[in-house]
Amino acid sequence: MSVFAAAAARQGAIAGLVGGFGSGLPLYYSDLLPAVSGMRSAPAGLVVHLVVAVVLGGVFGVLLRRRGSDPAQVVFWGLIFGTFQWYLEALTVRPLLQGESIGWGIEAARAALPALLGDLLYGLITAVVFVLLQPAPAMATDRRGVAGWSAVLLRGVVSGAAAAGLLAVVLGDSFTSIATGGTGVLALGIVAGLGYVLLYPAGPAGTGPAAARGAGLGFMVWVVLPVTTTPLLRGETLPWTADQIRALFPALPGSLLLGVLAAVLATWLSGLRRVLFADPADRADDESLAVRTTRALVRGATGGVAGGLLFTVIMAQIGYFGTVAQLVGSASTGVGVVVHLLISVVLGASYGLFFRGQSDDLAAGIGWGISWGFLWWVLGALTILPVGLGGSPQWTAAAAAAAFPSLIGHLCYGSALGAILYSLEANDKPWWIRPEAPVSVGERLSRRRTELAGSAPPVWAAIALVAVTLTVVLAP
Amino acid sequence: MRRILIALGVALMAYAAVGAVLDGVNLIGVPLFLAGVLILNDGIILPLVIGLGALVGRVAPRAWGGWTRAAAVISVSVTIVALPLVLGFGRVADNPSVLPGSYGRGLLLILALVWLVALARGLARRGDPARRAGVLVGLGVGVAVALIGQLRGHMTAAAAGLTPGSAVTIAVTIIGGALIGSVLRYRPGRLLSLITTGVLAGLLWWTVEWLTVLPLFAGAEVSWSLGDAQASFGYLVAAMIQGGVTAGLIAAVGARLPVRTVDTLVPPEETRPRVLIVGGGFAGVGVARRLQQRHSTAAGAPEVVLVSDSNYQLFTPMLTGVAAGTLSQQHIGAPLRAGLRNTTIVHATVESVDMAERQITVQPEAGEAVTMGYDHLVLAVGSVPDYRGLPGLEQYAFTLKSLADATLLREHVLRQLELADGERDSLRRRRLLTVVVAGGGFAGAELVAELRDLVHSVRRFFPRLDPEELRFILLHSQDRILPELDERLAAHALERLRAKGIEVRLNVRLTGVDAEEASLDDGRTIGTGTVVWTAGNAPSPLVRELGFELERGAIACDATMQVRGRADVWALGDCAAVPDLAQPGAYLPPTAQHALREGTAVADNILAVLDGRAPTPFRFRTIALLVALGHQDGAVQIGRWLLSGRLAWALWRGVYLSKLPGLEKRVRVSIDWLLDVFFPRDVILTEPRRGRPPRDRMATMASVNVGDDAR
Ligand SMILES: Cc1cc2nc3c(=O)[nH]c(=O)nc-3n(C[C@H](O)[C@H](O)[C@H](O)COP(=O)(O)OP(=O)(O)OC[C@H]3O[C@@H](n4cnc5c(N)ncnc54)[C@H](O)[C@@H]3O)c2cc1C
C-alpha cells in the first residue's frame, strides 16, 4: 500500500470513528443497539459498532482516496456506501456470523430497518468528515474569494427558500406538515439549498442532473432532519423501527421534491446569467438555441413514445389506464391510453430537453433515465395524479406501497427512455468524442465527464435502491 | 408465379364463400366484418407500419443492426394491432372471446420472443471487444447465479408462485447475466462507478426477471405488484450483488484489454478507409449524410471527405422562387459545413482523377493544387446548361442553375421594367417587356409562371407601363409541355398557363438569340431582351475530361452505380447514366428525387463493399411529380393520382419545405413565404447599372435611353 493510500486509510478511519459515534450514540441512547449489532449488552454493541465503523471508514478512505477533492462525490458515495453496507453487513454477513441463514427475506429486512438508518447516517457523517479532513489545497481548487463564496451561499439560500415557498403555496398543508409548519419547511428548504450549492458550487449544469442530485440530497435531508435530528432535539428516542419510520414516511416525498426544486432553482439561477449575458465568443461552439432545443425535444419525444408503447401492455394489465383516464374525467380505457401516451411524450420531451448530452454510455443513459422516472413517480403518481383526481398528495407509506406497480413502471419507462435517448444522441457527433473541442467547451465537458465517472452513479443507484427498498420494506 | 398466387387466393376465397353459404353464417355481419378488416388493414395498419418503418429507419441508433430495427418495427406494429384486444375494446358480456387465455400475456410473450431473437442476434454480432468481453463475463456470472439458485432452494419457497420450471428460470437468469454485462463498460479510473452501475443494472434486471418475465412464463399475469416484490425480495439482493460482481469482473478483464480511452474511440485517421465525394449537390450530400449515420461492421466509420466547388448545397426546386423574388437567396442554400459535421469539407474544384494511383487533384480558390488519396471515390458533379451549339445563347441567354443565375435573372427582369418605364419607342418597349423561356419542362414551366407573377406584383410601381404590353412566352419543342407528367395533367397545366396570359408555343425550337431578338425554327422571330434557356443540360464538362466511358454524355455505370469496370469509383446524380432496372435500356431521370436516393444507396453499397459483401443494384420508382405554376396553382401526380390547383400548390410547398435541408432554412423560407402574402416583392437592383457585366447589351440599352431623354 502506498503512503498515499495509507494516509487516506488513516483519514478514513478517523472519519469512520466520528461517523461511528454519530450514528452509534443515538442508537445507544435509544436502546436500539442490541437489535442493530446483535450483541446482547448495549455497551458491547457500541464497541462492536465503533470497531466496525473504524474499519469500514478505512476502507472508505482507500476507495475514495483520489476523489477527496470533490465533496459531492464523497458525500454521495457515503450515501451509497451506507446503503450497500446495510445489504451486505446487516442483511448478509451478520446473520451468517450469528449462525442464522442470510436475512434476505422481507421480514428480516423489516427487522433490520434501524440498522439501515444507522448505516445511512454513518455513511453520510463519515463522508462529510472525510471531506473536511482533506488538506486545504484540495478543497480550494477553485479560486473563489469571499465575495464569490457569498454569492454561492446566497444562491443556495435563495433557491432553497424559494423552493420551500413554492411547494408550500402549491401543496399547502400536505407539504408544510412534513416539518411542523411554515418555518420548519423553510428551514428544510434552506438546508437543502445550501447543501446543494456547497456540494456543487461550480454553477450551471444540466437541469436534469441537477434534479437527480437534488433528489439524492432531499433523501439525505430526510434522513438527517425529520428522521434523526428533529426527534433527538425534542428529546425523544430515535424513531427508527419499521413502524415509526412508516409514520415518518410522508416527509420523504416532500423532502425529495424540496431537494429537487432547490437544486433546479439554484442551477437555473446560475444558468440564467450564462444564457442572458454570455459573450457569443464563449459559446461559439454551441449549436444554435433553436436547433438544439428542437432536436432535444424531438428526440426526447420519440424516446418517450417508444418507452410509453413498450409498457402499454403491462400498464393495461395492472389497470393503470382506468386511473389516468379519470384525470380527464373519463372512465374509458381508450382515453386512458391516449392520456398515457400524452404523458409519455411530455416526460420524454422534457427528459430530452433536460438531459441533453449528459450520458456518455448506455449505462449513464439508463442511470439518468431511472432518476427521471423515479422523480415522476413521486411527482406524478404520488402528487399530481391524486391532486388531479381531486384529492391531496398521497405521501403515506401505504399509498406508496399501493403505487408500487407504478414505481416499477416509472423505473422501467425511465430506463428505456434514457437508453433510447442515449442511442439517438450517439448517432450524431456526440459530445464525448470531441477531443478537438476548444478549451472553454472542453472545461465544461470535462466537468461532465468527471461527474459521470464520479458523483452521478451513486446518485442513480441511491435513488433507485432507496425507492424500491423503502417502499417494499415499509409496506404495511 | 403471380398468376398462380392470385388463382390460389381466389380459390381460397371461393372455398370460404361456399363454406359460409353452406354453414349458414350471418350474411350481413361477415361482409361487414371483411370490409372492416380491409379498411383497417389497408387504410390504417398498412400505412402505419410503413410509416413506422420509415421512422425507425430514420431515427434508430446507428449501432442498431437490421434485426433490432426489424424487432422495433414488429413490436410496435404488433402492439398497436393487438392493443384493442388487450384492452378489451368491444368485448361484451354475451360475446366472450373464443380464444382461450389472456391476450395481454400472449402479446407479452410474443414481444419477449421477438426481442429475444433480436438480442441473441445482437449479442452474437462481432462488435467491439470490450462489449463482447462484458457480455461473456455477464454470461459466466449468470450461469453461476443460475447454478447457485438451483442448488440452494430455500429462497425459492417464498417466490414459488412466480417461477415457471427450472429450465426457463435458468435460461432467463443466464440471459439476464449477459444483458447486465452488455451495458457495463470498463473505463480506467471508474471502478467504483462501474460497480455501482452494476448494482443498478442488477436492480433493473430484478424488475424485468422477477416482476415481469418469470411470472409471464409461469402463467401468471404480470402485475408488478408489491406482493411479487416482497416474495422475491431476496432475489433483489441477489441480483444487485450479481450486478456488482459482474461489474468487478468486467473491470478486472477490462484492465487487461487494450485501453480504449476517449481519444481512441474514433480510430486514427490513417487506418480508416477514406471515402472521397466530389460534388456537394443532392447526390453528394446524400452519400455523406448516410455515411454519417451508418458505419461498416468491419471497418468502423470511414473517413468521409467531400470536395465541392460550392460550399453549400443548393436546393434547386426553390431556385425559381429566388428568381421571382419571393425567397431570399441565402435561404435556399444549406451550408455543407453545418449539415455534415462528421465530414471533412474541402472547398475546391476537382481538376483530375488518377484512378491507377487512387488519388485526385483539387484546386482551391487560391494557392497550389492539392492531391488527395481515396479508397472509394464518389463522383456527383451534377450538370451544366447545354446550349446545343446554338448561336448567341452562350452570350445572351440566361440560365437557371445556380443562385447567381437566379439573382441575375431577377435583377435583369426588374431592370427591363425600369428601362421600359422611360422608353417611348413602343417597339423597344415591347422588346423590354417580353420574356421568353425556352424549354417546357418542370423548370421552364415553373419559371415562366413565376416571372409573370414577379412582374405583375411590382407593376404598380411603374404606373406608366401598359399591362397589355407585358408578354411571357414559353417555347417547347414537343407537342405537349411537361412530358414527364400524365397527358391529362400536362394538358391541364397548359390550359392554366394560357389562362394566366402566358403564350405557350408548342413544336417550336429556339435557333438563336442576339441582343434584340430570339429566332425560332419556324422562321419567325420574337423581339425580346430576356431569353432564359432551360431546354437542355449536360453532365458537367469535368466528366468528359476524366476519360470515363460515356453514355449520352454521362458517366456510364452499373445499376450498383459503380463506374463501369471499377469497383472503387462510383457515379450518381445528374452526371451519371444509371440504368433503370424497371425499363431496360432506359436511364434514371436527372432529378433531385433520384439523386438523393441514389446517394443513400451508394453509401450503403460502399459500406457493403468495405464489409466484403456485394453491392445491391439501385431501384427506385418516382414517387411523385410536383410542379408549381405560379400563384397558388400547381399540378401534382402521385402514382395514378392527379391533382391540380390550390391543393396541388399547397402540397408542393409542403413537400419541398420538408425536403429543404435544415430546420433553420425551413423556418426562414416559411417566413419569406408568409411575408410575401403581406408585402409586395422588392424592386431593389443591387448590381449598379449593369446586368451582365461582360456583355455589351446593357451598354447599347443605356445609350438608347440617354438618347430618348435628350430628345
Ligand atoms: C431550376 C431547377 C429546378 C429543379 N426542380 C427540381 C424539382 O422540383 N424536383 C427534382 O427532383 N429535381 C429538380 N431539379 C433537378 C435537380 O436539381 C437535379 O437533378 C439535382 O440537383 C442533381 O443533383 P446532383 O447532386 O447530381 O448535382 P448538383 O445538385 O448539380 O450538384 C453538383 C455539385 O457538384 C459540384 N461540382 C461540380 N463540378 C465540380 C468540380 N469539378 N469540383 C468540385 N465540385 C464540383 C457543384 O458545385 C455542386 O455542388 C431542378 C433543377 C433545376 C435547375
Side-chain angles (χ1 to χ4, degrees):
Chain A
M1 200 188 274
S2 67
V3 184
F4 183 47
R10 201 168 336 110
Q11 285 164 349
I14 299 173
L17 188 65
V18 179
F21 273 112
S23 59
L25 287 182
L27 280 170
Y28 180 80
Y29 288 115
S30 310
D31 272 341
L32 285 168
L33 259 185
V36 168
S37 65
M39 294 284 150
R40 214 152 287 138
S41 93
L46 186 60
V47 172
V48 171
H49 184 83
L50 289 180
V51 170
V52 173
V54 170
V55 172
L56 289 183
V59 173
F60 185 78
V62 173
L63 285 180
L64 290 179
R65 63 188 180 281
R66 295 217 179 77
R67 300 164 189 250
S69 57
D70 180 355
Q73 273 202 48
V74 178
V75 170
F76 278 111
W77 284 117
L79 184 67
I80 204 73
F81 192 79
T83 320
F84 286 177
Q85 187 191 341
W86 181 66
Y87 275 106
L88 291 178
E89 192 206 336
L91 292 195
T92 312
V93 176
R94 190 161 310 147
L96 283 181
L97 286 182
Q98 289 166 352
E100 299 161 15
S101 66
I102 50 176
W104 291 357
I106 191 76
E107 288 308 326
R110 205 170 275 164
L113 205 62
L116 172 59
L117 290 156
D119 289 341
L120 289 173
L121 200 61
Y122 163 74
L124 285 179
I125 298 177
T126 307
V128 172
V129 175
F130 184 70
V131 170
L132 294 178
L133 284 179
Q134 296 305 305
M139 291 269 307
T141 37
D142 53 334
R143 284 145 268 127
R144 265 191 204 84
V146 175
W149 275 108
S150 335
V152 168
L153 295 181
L154 186 67
R155 175 150 55 87
V157 172
V158 168
S159 43
L166 267 176
L167 285 175
V169 168
V170 175
L171 296 174
D173 274 352
S174 326
F175 178 68
T176 45
S177 64
I178 70 170
T180 59
T183 36
V185 289
L186 195 66
L188 273 193
I190 291 176
V191 169
L194 278 178
Y196 185 77
V197 292
L198 283 177
L199 291 185
Y200 297 96
T207 304
R213 303 158 177 174
L217 191 74
F219 177 66
M220 293 190 228
V221 169
W222 179 74
V223 169
V224 174
L225 287 176
V227 172
T228 309
T229 316
T230 320
L232 287 182
L233 287 182
R234 287 210 202 103
E236 300 163 6
T237 56
L238 281 181
W240 282 3
T241 64
D243 288 332
Q244 290 163 316
I245 289 293
R246 203 172 286 145
L248 286 172
F249 190 85
L252 178 57
S255 312
L256 289 174
L257 291 184
L258 189 62
V260 170
L261 199 57
V264 168
L265 288 180
T267 303
W268 283 354
L269 272 185
S270 58
L272 197 63
R273 219 189 68 229
R274 192 176 132 76
V275 169
L276 292 182
F277 308 120
D279 183 345
D282 288 342
R283 37 192 345 191
D285 205 68
D286 290 358
E287 195 90 56
S288 81
L289 189 66
V291 169
R292 63 193 145 109
T293 311
T294 320
R295 190 179 291 155
L297 286 175
V298 169
R299 278 183 184 156
T302 312
V305 172
L309 276 178
L310 202 58
F311 299 110
T312 8
V313 184
I314 299 183
M315 294 290 186
Q317 299 220 311
I318 62 182
Y320 167 77
F321 292 132
T323 325
V324 280
Q326 288 169 23
L327 266 182
V328 291
S330 157
S332 120
T333 320
V335 175
V337 175
V338 173
V339 174
H340 162 70
L341 284 181
L342 284 181
I343 295 178
S344 306
V345 170
V346 172
L347 295 205
S350 54
Y351 179 83
L353 193 63
F354 293 150
F355 288 87
R356 168 167 43 85
Q358 298 289 348
S359 322
D360 67 349
D361 66 1
L362 190 58
I366 293 177
W368 289 128
I370 285 190
S371 317
W372 195 234
F374 168 71
L375 271 183
W376 278 97
W377 179 65
V378 176
L379 195 62
L382 299 189
T383 311
I384 298 179
L385 187 68
V387 171
L389 296 181
S392 53
Q394 296 291 307
W395 287 353
T396 61
F404 184 77
S406 166
L407 169 62
I408 298 299
H410 277 87
L411 295 185
C412 291
Y413 168 81
S415 54
L417 178 63
I420 294 173
L421 194 79
Y422 161 76
S423 317
L424 292 180
E425 281 189 340
N427 274 354
D428 208 28
K429 189 176 192 179
W431 61 269
W432 61 89
I433 41 174
R434 284 169 58 188
E436 84 280 20
V439 180
S440 61
V441 181
E443 200 178 310
R444 226 165 54 224
L445 295 187
S446 90
R447 216 192 301 151
R448 214 175 283 172
R449 252 181 227 124
T450 319
E451 168 159 21
L452 286 175
S455 63
V459 170
W460 311 323
I463 285 178
L465 259 177
V466 163
V468 173
T469 311
L470 281 186
T471 314
V472 171
V473 172
L474 288 182
Chain B
M1 183 65 197
R2 202 153 155 207
R3 299 238 168 86
I4 299 175
L5 282 179
I6 291 177
L8 219 67
V10 170
L12 263 175
M13 271 151 67
Y15 174 74
V18 170
V21 173
L22 291 186
D23 288 358
V25 292
N26 182 345
L27 281 185
I28 303 170
V30 169
L32 216 65
F33 168 77
L34 288 179
V37 166
L38 207 69
I39 293 175
L40 211 65
N41 186 61
D42 288 11
I44 300 179
I45 296 172
L46 209 67
L48 202 77
V49 172
I50 293 175
L52 261 172
L55 189 77
V56 168
R58 197 164 173 154
V59 304
R62 90 170 155 193
W64 285 19
W67 289 66
T68 325
R69 283 161 200 270
V73 175
I74 292 176
S75 33
V76 178
S77 346
V78 168
T79 308
I80 289 175
V81 172
L83 206 59
L85 295 177
V86 174
L87 297 177
F89 285 150
R91 196 175 294 158
V92 279
D94 63 344
N95 182 12
S97 156
V98 284
L99 298 181
S102 136
Y103 285 111
R105 233 175 66 75
L107 178 54
L108 283 179
L109 273 174
I110 288 181
L111 293 183
L113 287 180
V114 167
W115 282 98
L116 216 65
V117 173
L119 271 177
R121 167 72 200 173
L123 295 182
R125 228 175 32 181
R126 289 175 298 148
D128 84 80
R131 207 179 64 118
R132 196 155 19 123
V135 170
L136 288 180
V137 169
L139 214 57
V141 177
V143 170
V145 169
L147 283 182
I148 296 175
Q150 289 305 309
L151 291 180
R152 299 181 50 107
H154 78 266
M155 236 161 48
T156 340
L162 299 178
T163 46
S166 40
V168 178
T169 313
I170 291 177
V172 171
T173 310
I174 293 177
I175 292 173
L179 277 178
I180 293 177
S182 72
V183 298
L184 301 176
R185 170 164 307 192
Y186 173 70
R187 314 253 185 96
R190 288 200 184 185
L191 176 64
L192 283 187
S193 307
L194 186 69
I195 292 180
T196 313
T197 318
V199 172
L200 187 65
L203 178 130
L204 211 59
W205 174 247
W206 169 76
T207 67
V208 174
E209 181 177 13
W210 285 95
L211 300 186
T212 314
V213 176
L214 290 183
L216 192 65
F217 280 109
E221 297 284 321
V222 175
S223 61
W224 285 350
S225 71
L226 190 68
D228 289 358
Q230 291 183 328
S232 58
F233 187 73
Y235 288 99
L236 167 62
V237 185
M240 292 193 303
I241 293 180
Q242 177 186 353
V245 169
T246 309
L249 290 178
I250 286 177
V253 174
R256 255 152 262 259
L257 281 180
V259 191
R260 273 166 69 95
T261 59
V262 169
D263 309 291
T264 57
L265 273 179
V266 178
E269 310 276 292
E270 315 81 61
T271 63
R272 291 198 288 160
R274 178 187 278 178
V275 177
L276 207 137
I277 303 168
V278 183
F282 284 96
V285 171
V287 178
R289 183 155 302 142
R290 182 69 159 192
L291 287 176
Q292 220 164 246
Q293 289 161 358
R294 297 279 160 88
H295 52 201
S296 113
T297 353
E303 182 198 358
V304 185
V305 180
L306 191 148
V307 183
S308 177
D309 59 6
S310 63
N311 78 345
Y312 58 90
Q313 180 197 351
L314 177 62
F315 195 68
T316 48
M318 289 185 184
L319 211 46
T320 46
V322 174
T326 35
L327 300 176
S328 227
Q329 57 164 337
Q330 281 113 310
H331 297 177
I332 65 160
L336 296 175
R337 290 180 190 278
L340 301 169
R341 286 185 303 151
N342 286 349
T343 303
T344 310
I345 309 288
V346 179
H347 187 199
T349 311
V350 172
E351 305 262 88
S352 65
V353 175
D354 180 349
M355 282 185 285
E357 291 291 318
R358 286 192 174 193
Q359 58 187 27
I360 65 170
T361 310
V362 306
Q363 176 64 56
E365 240 165 4
E368 299 276 294
V370 184
T371 56
M372 315 171 80
Y374 65 80
D375 294 294
H376 283 271
L377 177 67
V378 179
L379 294 167
V381 288
S383 54
V384 294
D386 177 13
Y387 301 112
R388 313 266 150 89
L390 297 177
L393 264 69
E394 176 88 60
Q395 192 181 359
Y396 295 111
F398 290 85
T399 55
L400 191 64
K401 275 304 267 184
S402 65
L403 276 185
D405 289 346
T407 316
L408 216 56
L409 179 57
R410 174 185 157 274
E411 296 230 335
H412 175 79
V413 169
L414 293 175
R415 179 162 279 132
Q416 301 299 90
L417 294 183
E418 294 285 359
L419 292 173
D421 192 48
E423 177 63 67
R424 309 249 174 85
D425 179 303
S426 75
L427 205 67
R428 286 199 208 114
R429 200 168 56 237
R430 278 168 174 276
R431 197 185 293 142
L432 289 169
L433 294 179
T434 301
V435 172
V436 174
V437 175
F442 282 88
E446 287 188 1
L447 181 67
V448 73
E450 287 279 2
L451 288 181
R452 169 192 170 272
D453 287 355
L454 166 67
V455 170
H456 282 286
S457 87
V458 299
R459 205 185 65 204
R460 71 183 126 134
F461 300 127
F462 305 94
R464 284 186 285 172
L465 290 188
D466 176 4
E468 296 293 316
E469 286 183 339
L470 298 171
R471 276 179 89 196
F472 301 90
I473 303 171
L474 179 66
L475 305 175
H476 191 60
S477 61
Q478 289 160 305
D479 58 2
R480 66 192 201 93
I481 58 165
L482 299 168
E484 297 87 348
L485 276 194
D486 181 275
E487 201 159 339
R488 283 165 296 165
L489 196 61
H492 181 77
L494 177 64
E495 216 171 277
R496 295 293 312 151
L497 288 181
R498 286 193 165 145
K500 287 171 192 267
I502 295 166
E503 291 171 43
V504 183
R505 299 201 190 168
L506 300 173
N507 294 317
V508 58
R509 283 167 199 276
L510 194 67
T511 50
V513 182
D514 65 20
E516 313 217 314
E517 59 188 23
S519 31
L520 311 180
D521 68 348
D522 58 4
R524 285 192 275 181
T525 58
I526 305 171
T528 177
T530 314
V531 175
V532 193
W533 175 256
T534 67
N537 289 318
S540 162
L542 176 72
V543 164
R544 242 165 292 137
E545 292 160 20
L546 296 182
F548 291 110
E549 194 180 326
L550 297 186
E551 195 78 63
R552 301 183 183 181
I555 306 175
C557 45
D558 302 329
T560 54
M561 287 169 286
Q562 272 154 316
V563 171
R564 228 174 257 170
R566 307 214 58 105
D568 57 350
V569 183
W570 310 74
L572 69 162
D574 285 6
C575 71
V578 183
D580 184 351
L581 293 180
Q583 302 172 41
Y587 295 92
L588 294 175
T591 72
Q593 220 177 106
H594 285 81
L596 263 179
R597 270 121 191 145
E598 288 167 7
T600 312
V602 163
D604 288 344
N605 278 348
I606 290 177
L607 294 179
V609 170
L610 287 178
D611 280 346
R613 286 178 285 127
T616 355
F618 177 71
R619 277 169 206 279
F620 173 67
R621 277 266 190 89
T622 306
I623 303 175
L625 294 167
L626 305 108
V627 52
L629 298 170
H631 179 71
Q632 301 191 354
D633 203 351
V636 170
Q637 176 176 352
I638 304 174
R640 287 194 205 129
W641 197 51
L642 308 179
L643 195 67
S644 69
R646 224 164 248 143
L647 197 58
W649 167 84
L651 205 63
W652 187 100
R653 284 206 162 176
V655 166
Y656 282 112
L657 191 65
S658 73
K659 295 279 169 204
L660 191 66
L663 175 72
E664 180 202 335
K665 302 290 174 173
R666 271 177 231 162
V667 172
R668 289 193 192 274
V669 163
S670 314
I671 293 177
D672 280 349
W673 280 342
L674 188 72
L675 292 181
D676 188 50
V677 175
F678 297 104
F679 297 103
R681 299 190 193 167
D682 220 319
V683 288
I684 285 180
L685 297 179
T686 53
E687 278 200 26
R689 301 189 58 88
R690 309 183 80 223
R692 307 185 82 190
R695 298 175 189 163
D696 54 8
R697 178 174 30 171
M698 291 289 91
T700 52
M701 297 278 178
S703 70
V704 167
N705 218 6
V706 170
D708 274 358
D709 284 348
R711 205 164 357 132

